[in-house]
Amino acid sequence: MMKDEVYRELQEALGPENVSREPAVLDGYTWQPFTDILGLPDSWCRYRPVAVVLPGSTGEVQEVVRICGRNGLQFKAMSTGWGAWNALGGENTVQIDLKRMNRILEIDEKNMYAVVEPLAICSQLQAEAMKRGLNCHIIGAGCGSSPLASATSLCGYGWSGLTTSYSARNVLGVEWVLPDGEVLRIGTLGQDAGWFNGDGPGPSLRGAMRGFMGACGGLGVFTRCAIKLFPWPGPEEPQVDGLLIDVTADVPDTHAMFLIAFPDLKRWADAAYHIADAEIGYIMCKNSIGAMAATMIPRGLKRLTRFPVFKEMLKALRFQFQFMICARTPREFAYQKAVLEEIVEECEGICIDLRKLPEMHGAFWWGFVRAAMPPLIFRMGGTFGTSYGALEGFDHPAYQSQEGARLKALFTEAGRLMDDLADNSWGGIYEGSTGFGHQEELYIYDPRDPEQLEAAEDYLASTLTDTALKKLGPGLGFAGGAIVAEIFGPLIGDYHEWLRRIKAAFDPDNVSDPAFYVSPDPEKLIMQEVELRPRMALNLLAAGQDEKGGSE
């Protein structure tokens, strides 16, 4: 419960129209998708905020943070607010909704970066960048996501990662409201030298700021940041009509998309390395055959998987990826296509040129460039989850995809999860010649079906256990809340203790909600988790004990 005088303080700081504790408004912030990872299948979070505030500037964010600190309240910031990661970790918490801070503040064409506020979304930034011959990275969550949120506070790879890297690597100067209300500007911004570098001069704080997964709201509020932009060899204003798979688009003659399949996993991974070495292509990403069918023909996939012969035919194409060339000139296009054909031949693959299917080609071209297709993944079951996804040399993600499919087949063959042909890994190589990337394993289920909900929880636990026992490295499953750090930290260099030191240094009073970061009181957290989601907690604790015993 918030005292009336505290509520009035917030109103005076932001204006009464930007503060609310109306029950219906608070309930609106209590519903989030993907809460099944918290053991909450109906999407209603455990804790309702005591108030919702909408600051419109960095100064107003500072005011809110200080009011919370003075009055024994916690705060949790959100931007687009899609997912359980916006859920509050306890009572007496103020939800900071940053939707009023939605501007693109600057696009520096010469130095290829943009400065954005929290709710300047990817489609908004991409449209403006393309007018200047540039493009931005868009994560797999799609073009409605916040580039600031994924760069500073979470993680994310997108279809164009071959060219545009991924969000954690693209963040430059950052403006950061710390849990005590002070503003910290990191990188060159902190030296009044502009936004162009996130690291210097002097010691870099990027690692403390976000690490691998980001603090998910547990270390203050990020109010502005600069992110890298990349060359866009396409039209300044693409001519597109329609939505999702009903899109029609004028595709430039020097752009083309291909579907390429290989006989086995080794030759699939070899081809990815060759493409990285050759530095060709604009997009290289695996959307599995199961995922393609689940998004394009969900009812058809349900019927086809009833027949073993059709199922095996589809699975024969599981070692595949989609590849897009976006060249500036016909000569460059011809060169890249010739190199691609050599690689496909060497790795004994087959290549389907989607330009022979013009309607599909236009929809896929825009769907991949704009990252407009992610909503389709909800068609088959209503929701989905993901796991694995460690960033490594590409042999390692290839192995993870194999592991994910092996484990998932145990669930799909038993009818516990929807049959997406088991192999539903997604991702690709980052940054061309680096040769590293990720593969995350998606799993589709109906959240209205209690048995599938239970299976989804068991599958996620089994992938995390597999990750720990085989030392596959942190992946996307590690965004499952602070409990995950306590379970797997001891197995991975005690990273949870380092997070706790960072938390104590930046937020000694624990004002910034740490529910998806690290808990200052791990024993209390573990007891709560065992009580609130016993199946997941006990599975993970058993895995941790198994590994500890094995190592001893």
Side-chain angles (χ1 to χ4, degrees):
M1 179 70 72
M2 174 181 282
K3 295 178 180 176
D4 290 343
E5 56 266 33
V6 180
Y7 189 73
R8 283 194 293 272
E9 269 195 86
L10 291 169
Q11 287 183 313
E12 290 168 5
L14 307 187
E17 69 277 18
N18 295 312
V19 183
S20 179
R21 54 180 174 180
E22 288 292 329
V25 173
L26 301 184
D27 278 351
Y29 287 85
T30 311
W31 190 95
Q32 292 288 347
F34 306 119
T35 54
D36 42 289
I37 66 168
L38 305 176
L40 302 169
D42 59 3
S43 288
W44 286 103
C45 303
R46 292 192 178 90
Y47 305 105
R48 195 168 76 165
V50 291
V52 174
V53 299
L54 283 72
S57 67
T58 300
E60 290 187 353
V61 172
Q62 289 180 273
E63 285 296 312
V64 172
V65 167
R66 285 170 173 152
I67 291 170
C68 290
R70 284 198 300 270
N71 293 283
L73 300 170
Q74 286 190 320
F75 64 83
K76 178 71 176 273
M78 58 175 277
S79 55
T80 51
W82 292 353
W85 306 273
N86 299 284
L88 307 185
E91 306 283 359
N92 298 317
T93 304
V94 173
Q95 183 97 63
I96 302 176
D97 184 341
L98 299 164
K99 62 163 56 95
R100 291 176 63 210
M101 302 176 70
N102 59 1
R103 297 174 299 166
I104 300 169
L105 299 171
E106 177 186 355
I107 294 180
D108 186 325
E109 295 178 48
K110 180 180 178 182
N111 296 300
M112 296 197 299
Y113 69 78
V115 182
V116 295
E117 292 186 327
L119 202 71
I121 62 173
C122 290
S123 58
Q124 181 185 353
L125 176 60
Q126 186 188 58
E128 295 302 319
M130 282 181 167
K131 294 174 184 175
R132 297 161 173 82
L134 299 169
N135 198 4
C136 61
H137 177 69
I138 301 178
I139 63 171
C143 55
S145 61
S146 160
L148 178 144
S150 63
T152 60
S153 303
L154 266 162
C155 60
Y157 168 83
W159 278 294
S160 63
L162 181 68
T163 305
T164 62
S165 187
Y166 69 104
S167 295
R169 293 260 288 177
N170 289 342
V171 62
L172 301 172
V174 172
E175 182 181 83
W176 177 6
V177 176
L178 299 174
D180 64 0
E182 292 297 312
V183 173
L184 177 62
R185 296 180 175 87
I186 68 172
T188 47
L189 185 65
Q191 303 294 321
D192 294 325
W195 294 86
F196 69 93
N197 193 310
D199 289 317
S204 174
L205 284 174
R206 280 209 298 182
M209 177 190 80
R210 60 150 299 118
F212 169 70
M213 191 57 71
C216 299
L219 276 182
V221 185
F222 301 99
T223 48
R224 295 188 292 176
C225 83
I227 57 173
K228 296 178 187 174
L229 299 176
F230 301 86
W232 164 239
E236 294 180 357
E237 295 187 15
Q239 299 302 302
V240 178
D241 188 33
L243 293 171
L244 299 173
I245 54 177
D246 293 326
V247 159
T248 58
D250 291 340
V251 183
D253 293 339
T254 53
H255 290 202
M257 190 152 186
F258 305 91
L259 175 62
I260 307 171
F262 300 90
D264 53 42
L265 188 64
K266 179 181 183 305
R267 279 173 281 195
W268 175 84
D270 285 347
Y273 278 120
H274 291 327
I275 285 170
D277 289 343
E279 297 185 342
I280 62 167
Y282 198 80
I283 287 173
M284 192 224 78
C285 185
K286 177 180 178 180
N287 295 270
S288 72
I289 288 298
M292 301 273 281
T295 54
M296 303 296 169
I297 50 167
R299 292 179 183 174
L301 179 61
K302 289 178 182 176
R303 293 191 181 101
L304 287 172
T305 51
R306 295 172 191 162
F307 301 95
V309 63
F310 292 132
K311 192 169 173 179
E312 289 307 311
M313 288 171 63
L314 289 171
K315 289 174 71 173
L317 295 172
R318 64 185 180 277
F319 304 115
Q320 54 79 35
F321 53 73
Q322 296 79 39
F323 187 81
M324 186 184 293
I325 295 174
C326 297
R328 292 190 181 279
T329 67
R331 185 182 180 194
E332 181 192 353
F333 179 85
Y335 167 76
Q336 291 199 38
K337 186 168 182 290
V339 173
L340 176 66
E341 289 170 348
E342 281 189 21
I343 291 170
V344 172
E345 183 177 356
E346 181 179 338
C347 296
E348 301 180 68
I350 57 171
C351 180
I352 300 172
D353 187 339
L354 291 183
R355 289 177 299 176
K356 296 175 182 176
L357 305 167
E359 292 185 358
M360 179 182 288
H361 189 233
F364 273 54
W365 174 77
W366 186 242
F368 277 56
V369 168
R370 176 48 68 93
M373 289 183 163
L376 294 172
I377 193 66
F378 294 94
R379 293 184 73 193
M380 185 167 170
T383 192
F384 73 100
T386 187
S387 192
Y388 295 99
L391 307 182
E392 298 288 350
F394 209 61
D395 281 345
H396 187 77
Y399 175 68
Q400 287 187 71
S401 70
Q402 192 176 37
E403 279 293 289
R406 179 187 65 78
L407 277 176
K408 182 135 60 77
L410 302 176
F411 290 77
T412 57
E413 296 299 330
R416 298 189 64 199
L417 289 174
M418 287 189 162
D419 193 346
D420 57 1
L421 306 176
D423 174 20
N424 195 349
S425 57
W426 180 86
I429 278 186
Y430 307 152
E431 300 176 357
S433 56
T434 60
F436 81 107
H438 97 293
Q439 291 282 287
E440 60 190 82
E441 184 68 30
L442 309 183
Y443 51 101
I444 300 171
Y445 59 98
D446 184 347
R448 297 163 298 185
D449 183 333
E451 292 182 0
Q452 289 193 34
L453 270 174
E454 187 176 288
E457 189 174 12
D458 289 347
Y459 176 68
L460 178 59
S462 69
T463 64
L464 291 169
T465 302
D466 192 52
T467 298
L469 296 178
K470 296 181 178 174
K471 300 181 173 58
L472 299 179
L476 299 176
F478 284 71
I483 185 63
V484 177
E486 302 305 327
I487 300 298
F488 293 106
L491 311 179
I492 309 175
D494 286 327
Y495 78 89
H496 62 313
E497 295 297 348
W498 291 100
L499 294 184
R500 219 178 325 271
R501 292 183 191 184
I502 293 170
K503 175 71 173 173
F506 283 88
D507 188 14
D509 296 326
N510 194 27
V511 182
S512 193
D513 185 342
F516 283 85
Y517 183 44
V518 70
S519 174
D521 189 345
E523 291 186 6
K524 180 180 177 183
L525 173 70
I526 291 172
M527 290 176 63
Q528 286 177 338
E529 288 292 328
V530 170
E531 179 183 353
L532 295 173
R533 47 177 181 170
R535 291 177 61 85
M536 174 70 81
L538 293 174
N539 277 336
L540 297 181
L541 285 168
Q545 290 300 317
D546 287 348
E547 171 62 14
K548 187 177 178 182
S551 63
E552 288 173 352

